[in-house]
Amino acid sequence: MSVGIRHDDLRRRNRAMVISAVRRASQPSRTEIAATTGLSHSTISTISSDLISEGILAEAKVSEPVSMKRGRPQVGLTLEPNAASIVAVVLSLNSLSAAVIDYAGNTVVEETKRLVTQKMTAEALIDECVAMVRRLIDDAAASGGTVLRIAMAVQGITDAASRKLLWSPITQHDDLPFADRFEQEFGVPVSVENDCNMIAEALRWRDPVRYRDDFIAILLSHGIGMGLVIKGELFTGTQSSGAEFGHMVHRPDGALCRCGRRGCIEAYAGNYAIWRNARIGDENAEPLADLSDDDIRSIADAARDHDGPEREAFRRAGEAIGFGLGSMFALFDPAPLAFVGVGATAFDIMEPHVRAAIAKTAGGLHSKAISFDTEPNEVPLKREGAMMRALLTVDQEIFAAGTAPRRADADVA
């Protein structure tokens, strides 16, 4: 028995395919969209006309080489920046940033502020986030489209429903209801996401060839985190954001982690752990609350220059990361890896020890073929991932469904 597709569902699917093709490409022509989607030219023509009349897409002349300028100029399709806007918020240790971003992905207005997150009350922390978003929305009101979505990338464990921060080393408080508060204040849907998951989301859009079906993003910063994509799907737990790679146990009853437990991978590979091993040499010393990027770079410079505690600190960090990855690769095949954050600037020191540790595990059968890539600045990736999460939701759930609110200028003849 064959199952038919309802006309409305088919229309929504086809609209989603066209919008996705335009977002993925740079001003594609209708012919290029047909090649990408497999839709007929007549279907694309009808859908694109509808989307243009709705103010979601716009036409743009495609620049061509002089030698090809014959006949009618090629016309491409582009996203209409003022069709909508979203807000991307990034909260991490002692830092809050946010941006209003238009539908085409351009930053309209942004703000960054330093906070002492570990000493703030839960209410004060949420209030700071709300106040920043309100300032930005007010500043962007005259130049951007209606805000339709807010996405927040936060350092720590979020719930599986993407509603709240369950636990984070950046604050003393648990179960912070960010989504509820944002929705109460601004009246738009909100998602609260683990920051490493958003790094993985951003990498998938930056380089879809390398980061596609299976890959891993490891954050090497004050904390150690992971964004894991398996068979094209971002991994999350049934109750939480999952993939807490940094808090897998490397050595039972080992070094003190800032989570309060002992022996975590982060207790050897986090920035504070590298600094502690290089400068104090006591695994039981209380983890420092904050370190500058320059602190880690200076230790890395010393490790490259001469043998000593700095080089040993990076050896131990690489070993912890490698054994952790090897244990994961014993469960599923090795995948491309991206190491992100200031710690990635010292990955040349750690890499031999990472590979050596992986090779000693059951998951190290193909360790020599594992490819690594590095990106030293995680903040743009966190924001970009949150941005894409919000924009893709607008694409699929609002514009593809044809349920977008009318813009004020759409009523003007």
Side-chain angles (χ1 to χ4, degrees):
M1 179 179 176
S2 61
V3 179
I5 301 177
R6 291 175 51 202
H7 174 74
D8 288 348
D9 293 338
L10 181 62
R11 175 178 177 272
R12 176 173 181 160
R13 187 198 69 178
N14 291 346
R15 282 170 62 100
M17 290 173 68
V18 171
I19 293 171
S20 178
V22 175
R23 185 171 295 286
R24 176 65 74 179
S26 177
Q27 297 183 1
S29 67
R30 290 167 174 79
T31 300
E32 290 169 330
I33 295 173
T36 300
T37 63
L39 298 174
S40 68
H41 285 79
S42 60
T43 297
I44 292 171
S45 179
T46 299
I47 292 173
S48 62
S49 295
D50 290 343
L51 293 173
I52 289 170
S53 67
E54 294 167 23
I56 297 169
L57 298 185
E59 289 188 329
K61 291 183 178 179
V62 178
S63 59
E64 298 175 312
V66 176
S67 60
M68 297 178 63
K69 288 187 176 180
R70 295 180 180 178
R72 296 180 61 185
Q74 187 83 328
V75 176
L77 293 175
T78 186
L79 300 169
E80 173 54 60
N82 291 330
S85 61
I86 61 92
V87 180
V89 184
V90 177
L91 177 64
S92 54
L93 179 66
N94 296 337
S95 178
L96 171 66
S97 66
V100 174
I101 298 165
D102 69 26
Y103 188 59
N106 306 304
T107 298
V108 179
V109 61
E110 61 185 311
E111 182 181 342
T112 298
K113 184 175 183 178
R114 181 171 174 80
L115 305 174
V116 185
T117 57
Q118 291 177 320
K119 295 183 179 180
M120 299 176 68
T121 66
E123 189 68 20
L125 184 58
I126 296 174
D127 284 347
E128 284 283 1
C129 296
V130 168
M132 179 176 286
V133 171
R134 186 173 299 285
R135 287 194 298 272
L136 293 176
I137 290 177
D138 289 345
D139 289 346
S143 57
T146 303
V147 172
L148 296 183
R149 191 87 184 183
I150 298 173
M152 183 178 195
V154 61
Q155 183 179 347
I157 302 173
T158 60
D159 67 318
S162 301
R163 301 291 302 170
K164 59 185 177 180
L165 178 63
L166 297 177
W167 175 87
S168 174
I170 73 172
T171 175
Q172 304 175 48
H173 310 287
D174 299 335
D175 297 322
L176 299 184
F178 283 106
D180 288 348
R181 178 65 185 281
F182 276 126
E183 289 179 357
Q184 178 184 348
E185 295 286 341
F186 302 107
V188 298
V190 178
S191 62
V192 180
E193 312 282 356
N194 171 267
D195 58 353
C196 292
N197 286 349
M198 294 302 93
I199 288 173
E201 190 75 67
L203 290 172
R204 180 157 51 180
W205 275 85
R206 283 192 179 186
D207 189 351
V209 175
R210 174 176 171 81
Y211 303 112
R212 188 177 59 179
D213 296 332
D214 301 278
F215 69 91
I216 300 170
I218 302 286
L219 177 63
L220 302 180
S221 187
H222 200 66
I224 302 296
M226 170 181 285
L228 175 63
V229 174
I230 303 176
K231 299 187 183 302
E233 296 293 332
L234 189 64
F235 172 80
T236 58
T238 56
Q239 299 181 8
S240 72
S241 50
E244 284 298 309
F245 176 76
H247 299 290
M248 290 172 56
V249 174
H250 172 51
R251 290 184 179 175
D253 301 318
L256 178 63
C257 182
R258 66 180 174 150
C259 73
R261 292 182 286 271
R262 289 185 173 272
C264 300
I265 291 172
E266 182 181 295
Y268 296 89
N271 287 355
Y272 67 86
I274 293 171
W275 185 91
R276 181 172 61 187
N277 284 333
R279 296 288 182 253
I280 301 177
D282 180 4
E283 293 183 346
N284 297 310
E286 192 70 23
L288 287 184
D290 200 2
L291 282 168
S292 71
D293 291 352
D294 288 340
D295 290 327
I296 298 304
R297 293 191 184 99
S298 66
I299 296 174
D301 289 341
R304 294 187 185 97
D305 182 67
H306 57 267
D307 197 10
E310 296 89 357
R311 189 174 293 177
E312 174 64 11
F314 280 109
R315 183 196 69 76
R316 299 181 73 183
E319 182 181 74
I321 292 167
F323 278 123
L325 289 173
S327 295
M328 291 184 59
F329 293 152
L331 300 176
F332 56 86
D333 289 340
L337 284 126
F339 289 94
V340 180
V342 66
T345 62
F347 191 70
D348 58 307
I349 310 170
M350 290 187 280
E351 182 175 356
H353 310 295
V354 173
R355 290 191 181 277
I358 293 175
K360 293 177 182 178
T361 69
L365 182 62
H366 306 291
S367 60
K368 292 183 179 179
I370 298 172
S371 60
F372 299 136
D373 200 2
T374 59
E375 171 56 57
N377 190 356
E378 74 268 24
V379 176
L381 285 169
K382 292 179 183 180
R383 177 183 291 182
E384 189 174 332
M387 173 188 78
M388 293 311 305
R389 176 56 60 92
L391 288 175
L392 292 175
T393 301
V394 172
D395 290 348
Q396 298 292 322
E397 296 183 6
I398 300 178
F399 287 161
T403 58
R406 291 180 63 85
R407 287 163 42 199
D409 59 355
D411 295 319
V412 180

